[in-house]
Coordinates of all heavy atoms in Angstrom, one line a residue:
M1 N 17.8 -4.7 12.6 CA 16.3 -5.0 12.6 C 16.2 -6.5 12.9 O 16.9 -7.3 12.4 CB 15.7 -4.7 11.3 CG 15.6 -3.1 11.0 SD 14.8 -2.7 9.4 CE 13.2 -3.1 9.8
S2 N 15.2 -6.6 13.6 CA 14.9 -8.1 14.0 C 14.1 -8.7 12.7 O 13.6 -8.1 11.9 CB 13.9 -8.2 15.3 OG 12.7 -7.7 15.0
T3 N 14.1 -10.0 12.8 CA 13.3 -10.7 11.8 C 11.9 -10.4 11.7 O 11.3 -10.3 10.6 CB 13.4 -12.3 12.1 OG1 14.9 -12.7 12.1 CG2 12.9 -13.1 10.8
L4 N 11.2 -10.3 12.8 CA 9.8 -9.9 12.9 C 9.6 -8.4 12.3 O 8.6 -8.2 11.6 CB 9.3 -9.8 14.4 CG 7.9 -9.5 14.5 CD1 6.9 -10.5 13.8 CD2 7.6 -9.4 16.0
Q5 N 10.5 -7.5 12.5 CA 10.4 -6.2 11.9 C 10.6 -6.2 10.4 O 9.8 -5.5 9.7 CB 11.4 -5.2 12.6 CG 11.2 -4.9 14.1 CD 12.2 -4.1 14.6 OE1 13.4 -4.3 14.2 NE2 12.0 -3.2 15.5
V6 N 11.5 -7.0 9.9 CA 11.6 -7.2 8.6 C 10.4 -7.8 7.9 O 9.9 -7.4 6.9 CB 12.9 -8.1 8.3 CG1 13.0 -8.3 6.7 CG2 14.1 -7.3 8.7
I7 N 9.8 -8.8 8.4 CA 8.7 -9.5 7.9 C 7.4 -8.5 8.0 O 6.8 -8.4 7.0 CB 8.4 -10.7 8.7 CG1 9.4 -11.8 8.3 CG2 7.0 -11.4 8.4 CD1 9.3 -13.0 9.2
T8 N 7.4 -7.7 9.1 CA 6.2 -6.7 9.1 C 6.5 -5.7 8.1 O 5.5 -5.3 7.5 CB 6.3 -6.0 10.6 OG1 6.1 -7.1 11.5 CG2 5.1 -5.1 10.5
L9 N 7.6 -5.1 7.9 CA 7.8 -4.0 6.8 C 7.5 -4.7 5.4 O 6.9 -4.1 4.6 CB 9.3 -3.8 6.8 CG 9.7 -2.6 5.8 CD1 8.8 -1.4 5.9 CD2 11.1 -2.4 5.9
L10 N 7.9 -5.9 5.1 CA 7.6 -6.6 3.8 C 6.1 -6.8 3.6 O 5.6 -6.6 2.5 CB 8.3 -8.0 3.7 CG 9.9 -7.7 3.5 CD1 10.5 -9.2 3.5 CD2 10.3 -7.0 2.2
L11 N 5.5 -7.1 4.7 CA 4.0 -7.3 4.6 C 3.4 -5.9 4.4 O 2.3 -5.9 3.5 CB 3.5 -8.0 6.0 CG 2.0 -8.1 6.0 CD1 1.5 -9.2 5.0 CD2 1.6 -8.7 7.4
A12 N 3.7 -4.9 5.1 CA 3.1 -3.6 4.8 C 3.4 -3.2 3.4 O 2.4 -2.5 2.7 CB 3.8 -2.6 5.7
L13 N 4.6 -3.3 2.9 CA 4.9 -2.9 1.5 C 4.1 -3.8 0.4 O 3.6 -3.3 -0.6 CB 6.4 -3.0 1.2 CG 7.2 -2.1 1.9 CD1 8.7 -2.3 1.7 CD2 6.9 -0.7 1.7
S14 N 3.9 -5.0 0.6 CA 3.2 -6.0 -0.2 C 1.7 -5.5 -0.2 O 1.1 -5.4 -1.2 CB 3.2 -7.2 0.1 OG 2.4 -8.2 -0.6
M15 N 1.2 -5.3 1.0 CA -0.2 -4.9 1.1 C -0.6 -3.6 0.3 O -1.4 -3.4 -0.4 CB -0.6 -4.9 2.5 CG -2.0 -4.5 2.7 SD -2.5 -3.8 4.5 CE -1.5 -2.4 4.3
A16 N 0.5 -2.6 0.6 CA 0.2 -1.2 0.0 C 0.3 -1.4 -1.5 O -0.2 -0.7 -2.2 CB 1.3 -0.3 0.6
L17 N 1.2 -2.3 -2.0 CA 1.4 -2.3 -3.5 C 0.1 -3.0 -4.1 O -0.4 -2.4 -5.2 CB 2.6 -3.1 -3.8 CG 2.9 -3.4 -5.2 CD1 3.3 -2.2 -5.9 CD2 3.9 -4.6 -5.4
H18 N -0.4 -3.9 -3.5 CA -1.6 -4.6 -4.0 C -2.8 -3.6 -3.9 O -3.7 -3.6 -5.0 CB -1.9 -5.9 -3.1 CG -1.2 -7.0 -3.6 ND1 0.1 -7.2 -3.0 CD2 -1.3 -8.0 -4.5 CE1 0.6 -8.3 -3.6 NE2 -0.3 -8.7 -4.4
I19 N -2.9 -2.9 -2.9 CA -4.0 -1.8 -2.8 C -3.8 -0.8 -3.9 O -4.9 -0.4 -4.6 CB -4.1 -1.2 -1.4 CG1 -4.5 -2.3 -0.5 CG2 -5.0 0.1 -1.5 CD1 -4.6 -1.9 1.0
G20 N -2.6 -0.3 -4.1 CA -2.3 0.9 -5.0 C -2.6 0.3 -6.5 O -3.2 1.1 -7.2
C21 N -2.2 -0.9 -6.8 CA -2.5 -1.5 -8.1 C -3.9 -1.6 -8.4 O -4.5 -1.3 -9.4 CB -1.7 -2.8 -8.3 SG 0.1 -2.5 -8.5
A22 N -4.6 -2.1 -7.4 CA -6.1 -2.2 -7.5 C -6.8 -1.0 -7.7 O -7.7 -0.9 -8.6 CB -6.7 -3.1 -6.2
V23 N -6.4 0.1 -6.9 CA -7.2 1.3 -6.9 C -6.8 2.1 -8.3 O -7.6 2.6 -9.0 CB -6.6 2.2 -5.8 CG1 -7.1 3.7 -6.1 CG2 -7.3 1.7 -4.5
A24 N -5.5 1.9 -8.7 CA -5.1 2.6 -10.0 C -5.8 1.8 -11.2 O -6.3 2.5 -12.1 CB -3.6 2.3 -10.2
F25 N -5.9 0.6 -11.1 CA -6.6 -0.1 -12.2 C -8.0 0.2 -12.3 O -8.6 0.4 -13.3 CB -6.3 -1.8 -12.1 CG -7.0 -2.5 -13.2 CD1 -6.4 -2.5 -14.5 CD2 -8.2 -3.2 -13.0 CE1 -7.1 -3.2 -15.5 CE2 -8.8 -4.0 -13.9 CZ -8.3 -3.9 -15.2
T26 N -8.7 0.3 -11.1 CA -10.1 0.6 -11.0 C -10.3 2.0 -11.6 O -11.3 2.2 -12.3 CB -10.6 0.5 -9.7 OG1 -10.4 -0.9 -9.1 CG2 -12.0 0.8 -9.5
A27 N -9.4 3.0 -11.3 CA -9.5 4.3 -11.7 C -9.3 4.4 -13.3 O -10.1 5.1 -13.9 CB -8.5 5.3 -11.0
W28 N -8.4 3.7 -13.7 CA -8.2 3.7 -15.1 C -9.3 3.1 -15.9 O -9.8 3.6 -16.9 CB -6.9 2.8 -15.5 CG -6.6 2.9 -16.9 CD1 -6.4 3.7 -17.7 CD2 -6.4 1.5 -17.6 NE1 -6.1 3.2 -19.0 CE2 -6.1 1.8 -18.8 CE3 -6.6 0.2 -17.3 CZ2 -5.9 0.8 -19.9 CZ3 -6.4 -0.8 -18.3 CH2 -6.1 -0.4 -19.6
R29 N -9.9 2.0 -15.4 CA -11.1 1.3 -16.1 C -12.3 2.3 -15.9 O -13.1 2.1 -16.7 CB -11.3 0.0 -15.5 CG -10.3 -1.0 -15.8 CD -10.1 -1.4 -17.1 NE -11.2 -2.0 -17.7 CZ -11.5 -2.2 -19.1 NH1 -10.7 -1.7 -19.9 NH2 -12.6 -2.8 -19.4
A30 N -12.5 3.1 -14.9 CA -13.5 4.0 -14.8 C -13.4 5.3 -15.8 O -14.3 6.1 -15.8 CB -13.5 4.5 -13.4
G31 N -12.3 5.3 -16.6 CA -12.1 6.3 -17.6 C -11.3 7.5 -17.2 O -11.1 8.5 -18.0
T32 N -10.4 7.3 -16.1 CA -9.5 8.4 -15.7 C -8.2 8.2 -16.7 O -7.9 7.1 -17.0 CB -9.0 8.2 -14.2 OG1 -10.2 8.1 -13.5 CG2 -8.2 9.3 -13.8
H33 N -7.6 9.4 -17.0 CA -6.3 9.4 -17.6 C -5.3 8.5 -16.9 O -5.2 8.4 -15.7 CB -5.9 10.7 -17.9 CG -4.6 10.9 -18.8 ND1 -3.4 10.8 -18.4 CD2 -4.5 11.1 -20.1 CE1 -2.5 11.0 -19.3 NE2 -3.3 11.2 -20.5
P34 N -4.5 7.6 -17.8 CA -3.6 6.8 -17.0 C -2.6 7.3 -16.1 O -2.3 6.7 -15.1 CB -2.9 6.0 -18.3 CG -3.8 6.1 -19.4 CD -4.5 7.5 -19.2
G35 N -2.1 8.6 -16.4 CA -1.2 9.3 -15.5 C -2.0 9.6 -14.1 O -1.4 9.4 -13.1
T36 N -3.2 10.2 -14.3 CA -3.9 10.4 -13.1 C -4.3 9.1 -12.4 O -4.2 9.2 -11.1 CB -5.3 11.1 -13.4 OG1 -4.9 12.3 -14.3 CG2 -6.0 11.6 -12.3
A37 N -4.6 8.0 -13.0 CA -4.8 6.7 -12.3 C -3.6 6.2 -11.5 O -3.8 5.7 -10.4 CB -5.3 5.7 -13.4
C38 N -2.3 6.5 -12.1 CA -1.1 6.1 -11.4 C -1.0 6.9 -10.1 O -0.5 6.4 -9.1 CB 0.1 6.2 -12.3 SG 0.2 5.0 -13.5
L39 N -1.3 8.3 -10.1 CA -1.1 9.2 -9.0 C -2.2 8.8 -8.0 O -1.9 8.8 -6.8 CB -1.4 10.6 -9.5 CG -0.2 11.3 -10.2 CD1 -0.6 12.7 -10.7 CD2 1.0 11.3 -9.4
I40 N -3.5 8.3 -8.4 CA -4.4 8.1 -7.5 C -4.0 6.7 -6.8 O -4.1 6.5 -5.5 CB -5.8 7.7 -8.2 CG1 -6.3 9.1 -8.6 CG2 -6.8 7.1 -7.2 CD1 -7.6 9.0 -9.5
G41 N -3.5 5.8 -7.5 CA -3.0 4.5 -7.0 C -1.8 4.7 -6.0 O -1.7 4.0 -5.0
A42 N -0.9 5.7 -6.4 CA 0.2 5.9 -5.5 C -0.2 6.6 -4.2 O 0.4 6.2 -3.2 CB 1.2 6.9 -6.1
S43 N -1.3 7.4 -4.2 CA -1.7 8.0 -3.0 C -2.4 7.1 -2.2 O -2.3 7.0 -0.9 CB -2.5 9.1 -3.3 OG -3.7 8.7 -4.0
A44 N -3.2 6.2 -2.7 CA -3.8 5.0 -2.0 C -2.8 4.2 -1.3 O -3.0 3.7 -0.3 CB -4.8 4.3 -2.8
S45 N -1.7 3.8 -2.1 CA -0.7 2.9 -1.6 C 0.0 3.6 -0.5 O 0.2 2.9 0.5 CB 0.3 2.6 -2.8 OG 1.2 1.9 -2.3
S46 N 0.4 4.8 -0.5 CA 1.2 5.4 0.6 C 0.3 5.5 1.7 O 0.7 5.4 3.0 CB 1.7 6.8 0.2 OG 0.7 7.6 -0.2
T47 N -1.1 5.8 1.6 CA -1.9 6.0 2.7 C -2.1 4.6 3.4 O -2.0 4.7 4.6 CB -3.3 6.5 2.2 OG1 -3.1 7.7 1.7 CG2 -4.3 6.6 3.4
A48 N -2.2 3.6 2.6 CA -2.5 2.3 3.3 C -1.2 1.9 4.0 O -1.3 1.2 5.1 CB -2.8 1.3 2.1
C49 N 0.0 2.2 3.4 CA 1.2 1.6 4.2 C 1.4 2.5 5.4 O 1.7 2.0 6.4 CB 2.4 2.1 3.1 SG 4.1 1.4 3.7
A50 N 1.1 3.8 5.4 CA 1.2 4.6 6.5 C 0.2 4.2 7.6 O 0.7 4.1 8.8 CB 0.9 6.1 6.2
L51 N -0.9 3.9 7.3 CA -1.9 3.3 8.2 C -1.5 2.0 8.9 O -1.6 1.8 10.1 CB -3.2 3.1 7.6 CG -4.0 4.5 7.4 CD1 -5.4 4.4 6.5 CD2 -4.3 5.3 8.5
Y52 N -1.0 1.1 8.1 CA -0.6 -0.2 8.6 C 0.6 0.0 9.5 O 0.7 -0.7 10.5 CB -0.2 -1.1 7.3 CG 0.0 -2.6 7.7 CD1 -0.8 -3.4 7.9 CD2 1.4 -2.8 7.9 CE1 -0.6 -4.7 8.4 CE2 1.7 -4.2 8.2 CZ 0.7 -5.1 8.5 OH 1.0 -6.3 8.9
L53 N 1.6 0.7 9.1 CA 2.9 0.8 9.9 C 2.5 1.6 11.2 O 3.0 1.3 12.2 CB 3.9 1.6 9.1 CG 4.6 0.8 8.0 CD1 5.6 1.6 7.3 CD2 5.1 -0.6 8.5
T54 N 1.5 2.6 11.0 CA 1.2 3.2 12.3 C 0.4 2.3 13.2 O 0.7 2.3 14.5 CB 0.2 4.4 12.0 OG1 0.9 5.3 11.2 CG2 -0.2 5.2 13.3
A55 N -0.4 1.4 12.8 CA -1.1 0.4 13.6 C -0.1 -0.6 14.2 O -0.2 -0.9 15.3 CB -2.2 -0.3 12.8
V56 N 0.9 -1.0 13.4 CA 1.9 -1.9 13.9 C 2.8 -1.3 15.1 O 3.1 -1.8 16.0 CB 2.8 -2.4 12.7 CG1 4.0 -3.2 13.3 CG2 1.9 -3.3 12.0
S57 N 3.2 -0.1 14.8 CA 4.0 0.5 15.9 C 3.1 1.0 17.1 O 3.7 1.0 18.2 CB 4.5 1.9 15.3 OG 3.5 2.8 15.0
T58 N 1.9 1.2 16.9 CA 1.0 1.4 18.1 C 0.8 0.1 18.9 O 0.8 0.1 20.1 CB -0.4 1.9 17.7 OG1 -0.2 3.1 17.0 CG2 -1.3 2.2 18.9
Y59 N 0.7 -1.0 18.3 CA 0.7 -2.2 18.9 C 1.7 -2.6 19.6 O 1.6 -3.2 20.8 CB 0.4 -3.4 17.8 CG 0.2 -4.7 18.4 CD1 -0.9 -5.1 19.1 CD2 1.3 -5.6 18.1 CE1 -1.0 -6.4 19.5 CE2 1.1 -6.9 18.6 CZ 0.0 -7.3 19.3 OH -0.2 -8.6 19.8
H60 N 3.0 -2.4 19.2 CA 4.0 -2.6 19.9 C 4.3 -1.7 20.9 O 4.8 -1.7 21.9 CB 5.4 -2.6 19.0 CG 5.3 -4.0 18.2 ND1 5.4 -5.2 18.6 CD2 5.1 -4.0 16.6 CE1 5.2 -6.0 17.6 NE2 5.1 -5.2 16.4

C-alpha cells in the first residue's frame, strides 16, 4: 500500500469512529438502552466508513 492509501484508510477509520461515538452518545442520552445505543453507533460508524471509502475509490 502506498502512503496515500494508508493515510486515506486512517482518515476513514477516524471519521467513522467519531461519527459512531457521537451517534451512540446521542442515542444513549435520548433514553435508549446502552446496548442498543452501541449497536446504533456501530451501524452509523460502518455506514459512514463504507460511504467514505466508496467515495474515495470512485474518485481514484
Side-chain angles (χ1 to χ4, degrees):
M1 291 180 75
S2 70
T3 306
L4 182 61
Q5 289 173 329
V6 172
I7 290 174
T8 302
L9 181 60
L10 289 175
L11 179 62
L13 293 175
S14 173
M15 182 201 62
L17 179 67
H18 282 87
I19 288 173
C21 287
V23 169
F25 183 72
T26 303
W28 177 60
R29 294 297 293 165
T32 306
H33 188 269
T36 306
C38 286
L39 289 174
I40 292 170
S43 65
S45 178
S46 62
T47 302
C49 189
L51 287 173
Y52 185 83
L53 290 176
T54 301
V56 167
S57 67
T58 302
Y59 177 72
H60 290 294

